[in-house]
Amino acid sequence: MHSASHRLNFDEHRTLFDPIANPKKGVTIAMGILVALSAWGALCYFLQWRYGLGASGLNQPVLWGFYITNFVFFIGISHAGTLISAILRMAQAEWRRPVTRMAEVITVAVLFIGAANILFDLGRPHKVYMPLFYGRYQSPLLWDAMSITSYLTASSVFLYIPLIPDIAILRDRFADRKWLHRFYQVLSFGWNGNPKQQKVLNVGIAIMSVVVIPIAVSVHTVISYIFSMTVQPMWHSTIFGPYFVCGAIFSGIAALIVMMVTLRRVYHLESYLKPIHFNYLGVLLLVMSLLWFYFTFSEYLTGFFGHEPSEMRVFWSKFTGPYAPFFWTMVFCNFVVPVIILSFKKLKTITGVLVASIAVLIGMWLERFTIIVPTLANPRLPYPSGIYFPSWVEWGIMLGSFSFFVFLYLLFSRFFPIISIWEVHEGKEVGVKEVEERVKSYLPESAANVST
Amino acid sequence: MALWGMVIDLDKCTACQACMVACKSENNVPFVGKGQAERGRVISWLDMVTETEEEYPEARTKFIPRPCMHCDKPPCVKVCPVYATYRNPEGIVAQIWDRCIGCRFCMAACPYNVKYFNWHQYRIPKTMERGLNPDVYVREWGVVEKCTFCSHRLLKARDRAAAERREMRADEYIPACVEACPSNAMYFGDLKDPESTVSALSRSPRAFHLLEDLGTEPKVTYLMEGERHALR
Amino acid sequence: MTSQWSWNERKTFFWQVVLLVTFYTFIFGIVIWILRLIWLSWQLKDVFSASIAISLIAMPLFLFLLGVYNYVFWGILLNRGKSKKGGKD
């Protein structure tokens, strides 16, 4: 009856409907725990709201800490998403099909958490409407507000457009469930997969994949500008834009891999996410690791060689001073671990790639931390400064942020397929033939003639 | 329009910190208490910076009273997202306390660390409530604050002159720290007026600015310490 | 055509329009916000050029995103063809 569904055998993709049709008890329990942890974070934030930012461990020179670190980190992870899926779509990489949705969901979910962390950092959250009325565009913070809003809008649209055919499939699959059916009916915009609709959809996806890339790049560039637009030692660096974008994509791929491995386990997606997917993503991760190291090396070598006294105070506090453990753990996690694991075929198993990704996530969080805190702790004028210890309130809010992110992710997977059904289906039906044609077109004419 | 500026003669300064005390009581700067102070949350609009210079043959420690520099090109104003801090026409880097959202970007951007944050709602001890200055706003928790060059004194002086139907003289406006300095090491006045003491002193060969190379163009000028410096 | 619509279809369409209107409100809210900030920077003589520079990128971008959403929304909704929505599988 509907062309979207008559071609599609519901039973064939049963594992993809399962999380929605018969949710597993374990997932529900996990979501409950995550809600509890998020509630704990909310309670911590309530305390901070009540008693002021003094509830955190921040102090005079170190006036930004965990919240800003988390902000940069979360927004960084969001680049997984949309950016990777847009690039893979534009490159027509066929292996993208089961990956893109997962990446796009990360982006949207994590952007909310990242933006919330800015609110956690405000001294007077009840005055948060002030930028609406009195905002000024000279401040990099407003640039951030603009770029994050546009990124959130763009990535939501980018998540939604390729979701429409899947919602239609769900609408037909859950015709017997009154409310769920109605919910999908509204969201599917009456999709039935006829060629005209198909064309509109493809044009929409194509436009968005192009538009979302510059937006994503601008977002993390502008976030780096928060730091590099000041004249503080080791912040005031022209390399910060690309350095942050590189780190963002790096941590984004790592987060994507961790999510993929986890959901593959939880929802039994082994037949969709094969070792080859992790292999390819592992290669991307390796490339980004090397690129990250190159940026880090350039950044610190120029600082060291220039030997400006105030820069050197920050430099040594990272290399040998109180922040050295974090700095060297960062180098170990971001460079040593992924390069060793991902360079050897034997180690590049799914478990290996997972270990490398977790290391990268830890390392990239530490990278944000070691960029922000040591500079603040070593200002230009001699200033009595101690090491910054986050308070339990900050730990609580951080725990809550991470839990709420995973919760949002699971919540999405509870209502929408976490792997794009129609795209996988299309890959089977059309993709194989298309790729064959495409490969043939790469080859010299004569060779093609000979073979036929 | 005047351009207000300050000169601090480090040769005359005895680092007695009377200016710090005067500033604190004039501007209702909160007492944070011992616990908060140990966590590095002291608020002191005018701070005494100690800098140990490794000058051979002996190491010397300099004491530098450090109010807000009231830069002509203030890095804090550039980054404020809500117009809570701005440079007013008379060169004072002013604050709108009520608008501040407490993002602390200005604190991160200020190379002189002159900005302070109200980490809690600090209460003035009961016994000292009557000592509060009625001319100065008491800041709420979550607000960033800093030296204003006692701009309430400027308003007061101007109002008085207006009531008496005459022009305000530059010497009617003096910040509390300058007034309190027992060794007359601090000068205050109109930098635009070539006759004024501050503009004469700021042209002295001993004059220098803190972190001059950052191009912030501070309006607080220091006069170098020691005669051998003067001879350089 | 509207008269042929079933009650269920009307309700569905109503909620779809609500979605669209929400998106419109959001985008135009942002545009108004940007305009307000430009006006403010003009009033206060506070780096007017920065406001113009940023809004020159931001405003068309948001409007463009609105356009894409609009295109997909109506493109899919109006191209449903004759097939009437049925509950049966």
Side-chain angles (χ1 to χ4, degrees):
Chain A
M1 146 203 125
H2 302 118
S3 38
S5 54
H6 80 217
R7 281 192 270 113
L8 188 87
N9 183 1
F10 291 145
D11 275 345
E12 191 189 331
H13 295 288
R14 230 170 86 200
T15 35
L16 297 185
F17 293 116
D18 260 354
I20 308 161
N22 358 276
K24 283 171 82 177
K25 218 175 203 172
V27 177
T28 317
I29 292 172
M31 280 167 77
I33 294 173
L34 290 170
V35 168
L37 291 178
S38 312
W40 171 247
L43 180 73
C44 288
Y45 182 57
F46 173 75
L47 284 176
Q48 184 183 300
W49 184 299
R50 185 100 181 28
Y51 296 108
L53 252 185
S56 66
L58 301 169
N59 55 39
Q60 192 55 30
V62 187
L63 40 98
W64 282 343
F66 264 33
Y67 304 137
I68 296 289
T69 306
N70 284 339
F71 161 68
V72 181
F73 178 73
F74 279 123
I75 304 280
I77 280 187
S78 77
H79 284 57
T82 314
L83 191 53
I84 289 173
S85 107
I87 290 175
L88 293 183
R89 272 179 210 278
M90 288 205 347
Q92 290 184 307
E94 281 296 322
W95 61 275
R96 71 164 196 273
R97 294 182 183 275
V99 178
T100 49
R101 176 75 44 80
M102 290 195 172
E104 289 154 14
V105 180
I106 290 184
T107 304
V108 176
V110 105
L111 275 177
F112 284 108
I113 317 284
N117 266 283
I118 277 276
L119 293 189
F120 301 155
D121 189 65
L122 286 189
R124 297 209 295 176
H126 54 285
K127 293 268 180 184
V128 71
Y129 60 86
M130 281 299 181
L132 288 182
F133 296 111
Y134 305 106
R136 52 197 296 274
Y137 277 122
Q138 197 187 10
S139 168
L141 221 55
L142 253 279
W143 309 350
D144 255 7
M146 295 318 314
S147 64
I148 291 174
T149 321
S150 61
Y151 190 38
L152 187 57
T153 318
S155 55
S156 306
V157 173
F158 191 52
L159 169 67
Y160 189 64
I161 294 179
L163 195 62
I164 293 173
D166 272 5
I167 298 175
I169 293 171
L170 291 170
R171 175 194 66 197
D172 299 341
R173 166 71 177 76
F174 293 103
D176 49 337
R177 301 242 204 128
K178 194 181 167 203
W179 287 107
L180 210 55
H181 176 70
R182 206 162 271 176
F183 174 62
Y184 293 135
Q185 201 173 22
V186 170
L187 291 181
S188 65
F189 296 167
W191 172 271
N192 54 28
N194 65 38
K196 273 184 185 170
Q197 288 184 330
Q198 200 83 52
K199 197 186 155 236
V200 170
L201 187 88
N202 286 339
V203 171
I205 293 177
I207 294 177
M208 286 312 295
S209 349
V210 176
V211 170
V212 96
I213 292 175
I215 298 182
V217 169
S218 80
V219 168
H220 230 70
T221 309
V222 167
I223 284 176
S224 82
Y225 285 172
I226 292 191
F227 308 105
S228 62
M229 287 292 154
T230 65
V231 287
Q232 307 298 22
M234 306 278 307
W235 275 6
H236 191 52
S237 158
T238 51
I239 209 177
F240 259 36
Y243 186 27
F244 271 49
V245 172
C246 159
I249 299 172
F250 187 32
S251 61
I253 297 172
L256 176 62
I257 293 172
V258 172
M259 273 298 175
M260 278 169 64
V261 175
T262 316
L263 292 186
R264 182 177 186 261
R265 243 306 173 52
V266 173
Y267 292 140
H268 304 294
L269 303 172
E270 284 83 0
S271 55
Y272 293 91
L273 301 173
K274 307 232 168 105
I276 188 78
H277 291 110
F278 296 96
N279 190 356
Y280 282 171
L281 283 173
V283 172
L284 274 181
L285 194 69
L286 177 62
V287 170
M288 292 317 290
S289 174
L290 296 172
L291 193 58
W292 175 86
F293 183 77
Y294 163 67
F295 272 119
T296 310
F297 178 77
S298 319
E299 168 72 7
Y300 286 95
L301 184 67
T302 40
F304 176 71
F305 212 86
H307 221 275
E308 214 226 302
S310 52
E311 297 237 329
M312 287 319 284
R313 270 207 304 278
V314 182
F315 182 90
W316 289 123
S317 86
K318 290 187 197 188
F319 272 65
T320 55
Y323 296 97
F326 306 114
F327 184 83
W328 293 111
T329 313
M330 168 191 90
V331 173
F332 181 74
C333 286
N334 273 355
F335 184 64
V336 181
V337 173
V339 166
I340 289 179
I341 290 183
L342 301 172
S343 304
F344 297 100
K345 219 169 195 171
K346 268 199 179 154
L347 294 173
K348 210 162 83 181
T349 56
I350 293 184
T351 323
V353 175
L354 177 69
V355 170
S357 302
I358 292 174
V360 168
L361 282 180
I362 296 170
M364 277 313 294
W365 191 90
L366 288 172
E367 195 242 42
R368 302 331 191 174
F369 183 79
T370 49
I371 282 179
I372 295 166
V373 173
T375 290
L376 289 169
N378 295 281
R380 281 179 194 270
L381 285 187
Y383 205 91
S385 75
I387 189 166
Y388 151 72
F389 282 113
S391 73
W392 60 270
V393 173
E394 280 164 292
W395 284 108
I397 291 180
M398 180 164 155
L399 181 71
S401 304
F402 277 91
S403 317
F404 196 64
F405 160 56
V406 182
F407 168 75
L408 281 181
Y409 206 93
L410 289 180
L411 190 71
F412 181 90
S413 75
R414 185 66 190 67
F415 289 101
F416 300 101
I418 201 67
I419 287 180
S420 183
I421 301 172
W422 72 275
E423 281 180 276
V424 172
H425 194 70
E426 190 192 62
K428 269 187 170 173
E429 302 256 297
V430 199
V432 179
K433 260 181 252 157
E434 244 177 43
V435 170
E436 203 187 329
E437 298 276 310
R438 205 196 313 157
V439 173
K440 271 186 188 160
S441 75
Y442 299 155
L443 298 170
E445 297 292 336
S446 56
N449 287 341
V450 168
S451 67
T452 45
Chain B
M1 258 316 135
L3 193 69
W4 303 105
M6 189 186 277
V7 175
I8 300 175
D9 189 339
L10 295 180
D11 234 354
K12 284 172 154 184
C13 175
T14 59
C16 70
Q17 304 177 32
C19 49
M20 289 170 68
V21 177
C23 171
K24 209 160 174 115
S25 68
E26 172 77 15
N27 290 297
N28 300 337
V29 177
F31 302 91
V32 297
K34 188 167 174 250
Q36 290 290 307
E38 276 169 356
R39 299 178 68 177
R41 291 170 176 176
V42 179
I43 300 183
S44 178
W45 287 11
L46 202 166
D47 202 6
M48 192 64 75
V49 174
T50 53
E51 195 168 14
T52 304
E53 237 178 34
E54 279 176 37
E55 206 167 289
Y56 303 104
E58 87 273 35
R60 282 158 26 90
T61 299
K62 279 204 284 191
F63 293 90
I64 306 173
R66 187 235 51 203
C68 173
M69 298 293 136
H70 292 274
C71 313
D72 258 346
K73 303 241 157 56
C76 57
V77 166
K78 275 193 197 164
V79 299
C80 179
V82 291
Y83 292 103
T85 179
Y86 63 99
R87 181 191 178 280
N88 78 9
E90 286 174 273
I92 294 174
V93 177
Q95 314 253 96
I96 307 175
W97 317 111
D98 197 43
R99 189 169 296 168
C100 178
I101 56 173
C103 68
R104 310 192 293 300
F105 201 171
C106 53
M107 295 170 74
C110 175
Y112 305 99
N113 293 74
V114 305
K115 294 220 157 189
Y116 293 88
F117 187 69
N118 284 274
W119 297 96
H120 289 284
Q121 181 67 60
Y122 297 119
R123 308 234 172 265
I124 305 283
K126 260 257 150 30
T127 45
M128 301 188 67
E129 256 172 18
R130 295 179 65 192
L132 282 177
N133 185 350
D135 294 336
V136 181
Y137 195 98
V138 179
R139 277 79 56 187
E140 200 192 14
W141 58 278
V143 172
V144 177
E145 58 179 60
K146 71 162 187 73
C147 157
T148 60
F149 264 175
C150 289
S151 58
H152 57 281
R153 290 188 169 210
L154 172 63
L155 298 180
K156 225 175 175 177
R158 189 166 283 150
D159 282 354
R160 189 181 302 129
E164 291 169 11
R165 291 164 194 281
R166 58 177 174 83
E167 283 286 295
M168 190 194 102
R169 281 175 289 113
D171 64 342
E172 281 179 82
Y173 165 37
I174 302 173
C177 51
V178 178
E179 194 179 32
C181 183
S183 56
N184 278 332
M186 298 168 105
Y187 306 86
F188 190 82
D190 184 0
L191 286 172
K192 264 193 189 160
D193 175 9
E195 311 282 292
S196 71
T197 328
V198 278
S199 69
L201 285 176
S202 60
R203 270 177 273 127
S204 135
R206 287 166 63 210
F208 74 100
H209 298 108
L210 282 184
L211 306 180
E212 220 158 351
D213 47 341
L214 294 182
T216 54
E217 302 182 16
K219 283 198 286 294
V220 174
T221 310
Y222 292 91
L223 297 182
M224 239 180 252
E225 193 180 0
E227 269 163 58
R228 58 185 166 162
H229 290 278
L231 290 173
R232 264 216 293 242
Chain C
M1 184 186 168
T2 326
S3 54
Q4 293 165 9
W5 281 22
S6 70
W7 177 238
N8 188 22
E9 270 173 317
R10 278 185 209 183
K11 264 202 291 191
T12 307
F13 185 66
F14 170 76
W15 285 111
Q16 283 163 347
V17 170
V18 166
L19 273 181
L20 190 73
V21 169
T22 314
F23 199 69
Y24 262 90
T25 318
F26 175 68
I27 297 291
F28 279 102
I30 287 174
V31 170
I32 290 169
W33 177 36
I34 295 173
L35 291 176
R36 148 89 199 171
L37 298 190
I38 295 174
W39 179 80
L40 192 72
S41 73
W42 176 256
Q43 289 286 306
L44 297 175
K45 297 192 179 63
D46 180 85
V47 205
F48 183 63
S49 51
S51 312
I52 290 297
I54 288 161
S55 53
L56 269 184
I57 304 165
M59 269 202 292
L61 179 65
F62 279 107
L63 293 174
F64 182 77
L65 290 176
L66 180 67
V68 173
Y69 187 82
N70 223 9
Y71 168 73
V72 172
F73 181 89
W74 292 114
I76 291 177
L77 206 62
L78 297 180
N79 283 319
R80 274 178 300 182
K82 290 281 178 276
S83 96
K84 278 271 166 274
K85 173 74 212 87
K88 57 186 174 355
D89 197 3

